[in-house]
Amino acid sequence: MEKVIITAVISEDETYASAYASLEECKSLVRTAGGTVMATTIQNRPSPDVSTYFGKGKVTEIKELVEEWGADVVVVNGELSPRQGQSLTTRTDARVIDRTQLILDIFADRARTKEGRIQVELAQLTYLLPRLRGQGHALSRLGGGIGTRGPGETKLETDRRHIQGRMDELKKDLAQIRKHRATIRHQRERQNQPQFTLVGYTNAGKTTLLNALTNEEARAEDLLFATLDPLTRGLRLPSGLSVRVSDTVGFIRGLPTTLIAAFRATLEEVADADVLLHVIDGTSHEAEAEKQTVQQLLSELGATQIPIITVLNKTENLEADSIPAVNVKRPWVYVSAKDHDNIDELLALMEKELIEQMSYYSIHIPASDGGTLHNLRQTTIIQNEVFEEETEMYKLEGYAFSDHPQIGRYKKKDNE
């Protein structure tokens, strides 16, 4: 494991609690990237120095910490300008990266699908393009490690025109991905299959909840950004309605804008959902701040009008009479995705939330039309089903989306 020194500037408008939580999160990011935190140092100042980010004395202290611990990497818990990054690199014998580059590095290491790798590479190149001066030399001198995964030194040492051309290619590939996803969404809409999407702060337990809901075994780890590539599974609600549930990449404060832009094709799963399941770690002392971070990112994605069910997770670690450290609006539910506690209550709430978007229907279906009957049992919420022997018809009462084709056809027949 590489040895890491974590550094940060705490500005005047930042509270101690917020700064401490951000530093602890940065430590988790380093561990996720495969590093070991040897020391942490902070500096209180109104704002970062425009040239070296830190003051001269702190820069000297950082250099001494690198020498003392034999550190390989210095991680700045903020975003460095190209000038600041170059200045700090020349003043230390370690690789200097910022929080954004650390997150991008983790994404590069964890991307498994072709789509994920394209999105990460585009985000990295977008971030690195204005920082190319001196990068090739630094990477050649220091070799691989945290902050160097992804495009690699060979691409960074080529000219800007080549890199810009590569970025254009990646954008075209993402455009094709978006087109493919749009086709899939259209097919899903024609099948009247509602979409639920899991959103939440990184490591809130979204993938574990997906497994609990669908009885699947998607890989879930106690690490930041354990899920990077999107995952969708089928599910039946208590009424028998067939729906789809998608997992998404976890949000985090200070999520790089380049990453949001590159992952927009994936995050469209969020904007196109019928209902969002906002998963919150109910045991986190920063649950309120994490909730607000998610809400801010949902706003950037244009998803604020989508109904949300708040899922307070990890109740296996809560005392019975404990009060959650977060304010949430209804509808919400406590669950333990790990122990499958209250999953039935969540499923019932999901169905109730869909009914709010549907219209009531009452129709008669001939017993001979088994195909339509089967379809309605899967694509609508049937609350009452009675077979009328004298007419050999099924009377169905329930809820469906207003554009359901079979409902419209049989409603017309009943009215004739």
Side-chain angles (χ1 to χ4, degrees):
M1 284 192 172
E2 291 186 290
K3 298 177 181 179
V4 179
I5 306 295
I6 291 180
T7 62
V9 164
I10 300 179
S11 61
E12 291 177 333
D13 58 352
E14 190 172 12
T15 65
Y16 176 79
S18 175
Y20 176 80
S22 182
L23 281 171
E24 289 301 306
E25 195 169 75
C26 189
K27 292 177 184 178
S28 296
L29 288 168
V30 169
R31 288 192 290 270
T32 300
T36 301
V37 179
M38 309 306 298
T40 301
T41 181
I42 62 173
Q43 183 175 43
N44 293 289
R45 55 182 295 137
S47 61
D49 183 84
V50 294
S51 178
T52 56
Y53 199 81
F54 302 97
K56 292 182 180 180
K58 181 57 66 173
V59 172
T60 300
E61 181 187 331
I62 294 170
K63 181 178 181 180
E64 291 172 350
L65 284 171
V66 168
E67 294 171 353
E68 178 184 352
W69 292 101
D72 306 288
V73 186
V74 173
V75 175
V76 178
N77 191 34
E79 184 162 344
L80 296 171
S81 69
R83 178 182 177 186
Q84 290 166 337
Q86 292 163 16
S87 297
L88 284 173
T89 298
T90 59
R91 287 168 171 77
T92 66
D93 292 325
R95 189 161 59 256
V96 179
I97 65 173
D98 61 15
R99 183 186 177 94
T100 297
Q101 196 169 351
L102 177 60
I103 293 173
L104 290 171
D105 188 73
I106 293 169
F107 273 59
D109 187 49
R110 291 186 164 269
R112 295 291 179 266
T113 65
K114 178 182 178 182
E115 175 184 352
R117 290 193 294 270
I118 289 172
Q119 292 174 127
V120 172
E121 184 178 354
L122 177 59
Q124 286 188 308
L125 290 176
T126 301
Y127 172 80
L128 291 171
L129 189 59
R131 296 168 170 83
L132 288 178
R133 185 179 300 169
Q135 285 286 327
H137 172 70
L139 291 173
S140 298
R141 176 170 61 89
L142 295 167
I146 297 174
T148 66
R149 287 182 278 248
E153 63 180 273
T154 302
K155 284 179 183 164
L156 294 181
E157 289 170 347
T158 57
D159 60 41
R160 290 175 182 270
R161 184 177 300 175
H162 174 79
I163 293 176
Q164 190 62 60
R166 176 59 179 160
M167 290 172 65
D168 291 340
E169 290 176 8
L170 294 171
K171 288 176 182 177
K172 289 180 181 178
D173 290 341
L174 285 181
Q176 288 298 316
I177 290 172
R178 295 184 72 173
K179 184 177 180 181
H180 176 66
R181 285 186 175 278
T183 300
I184 293 175
R185 284 195 299 272
H186 180 64
Q187 292 173 346
R188 188 172 65 220
E189 289 168 1
R190 289 197 317 181
Q191 295 168 355
N192 285 278
Q193 198 167 36
Q195 173 73 36
F196 290 85
T197 300
L198 296 160
V199 297
Y201 210 75
T202 182
N203 207 28
K206 296 185 296 300
T207 303
T208 305
L209 181 59
L210 178 71
N211 289 338
L213 286 169
T214 63
N215 293 315
E216 295 279 354
E217 291 298 328
R219 185 178 180 183
E221 299 177 273
D222 188 21
L223 290 171
L224 300 182
F225 302 119
T227 298
L228 178 56
D229 299 307
L231 184 64
T232 300
R233 292 286 184 265
L235 166 69
R236 289 197 185 281
L237 295 181
S239 66
L241 177 68
S242 177
V243 302
R244 294 176 69 82
V245 184
S246 294
D247 198 1
T248 58
V249 61
F251 297 159
I252 193 170
R253 75 191 81 191
L255 191 64
T257 54
T258 53
L259 204 56
I260 296 174
F263 272 72
R264 189 161 293 277
T266 299
L267 292 173
E268 282 178 354
E269 291 287 348
V270 175
D272 288 324
D274 294 294
V275 179
L276 298 177
L277 301 180
H278 181 183
V279 185
I280 296 176
D281 179 355
T283 67
S284 172
H285 296 299
E286 289 294 306
E288 183 64 31
E290 291 167 1
K291 180 196 77 174
Q292 292 175 8
T293 295
V294 172
Q295 290 176 336
Q296 179 182 345
L297 288 168
L298 288 177
S299 178
E300 292 181 23
L301 292 169
T304 54
Q305 302 304 314
I306 301 173
I308 295 179
I309 297 173
T310 302
V311 184
L312 295 171
N313 190 26
K314 304 189 181 182
T315 57
E316 72 274 8
N317 298 323
L318 288 175
E319 298 294 334
D321 57 349
S322 64
I323 300 175
V326 60
N327 296 313
V328 296
K329 298 179 180 179
R330 294 189 180 278
W332 64 271
V333 63
Y334 275 122
V335 305
S336 170
K338 178 182 177 182
D339 296 338
H340 290 215
D341 290 342
N342 282 3
I343 297 300
D344 288 343
E345 285 82 350
L346 174 57
L347 289 169
L349 195 55
M350 291 165 66
E351 188 163 281
K352 181 180 178 183
E353 200 59 32
L354 276 183
I355 288 176
E356 294 292 324
Q357 302 181 43
M358 293 177 164
S359 301
Y360 173 80
Y361 74 86
S362 176
I363 58 175
H364 288 80
I365 305 290
S368 58
D369 194 353
T372 297
L373 187 62
H374 175 74
N375 177 271
L376 292 175
R377 286 169 177 163
Q378 289 190 312
T379 61
T380 74
I381 296 175
I382 297 176
Q383 294 191 322
N384 187 35
E385 179 180 323
V386 178
F387 179 64
E388 300 174 345
E389 293 186 7
E390 56 276 11
T391 60
E392 294 189 349
M393 303 274 280
Y394 281 93
K395 181 180 180 181
L396 304 181
E397 294 178 288
Y399 292 86
F401 288 113
S402 57
D403 59 351
H404 195 291
Q406 283 91 349
I407 296 295
R409 185 168 71 250
Y410 274 99
K411 268 188 174 182
K412 185 177 180 181
K413 287 183 179 181
D414 281 356
N415 292 332
E416 290 176 349

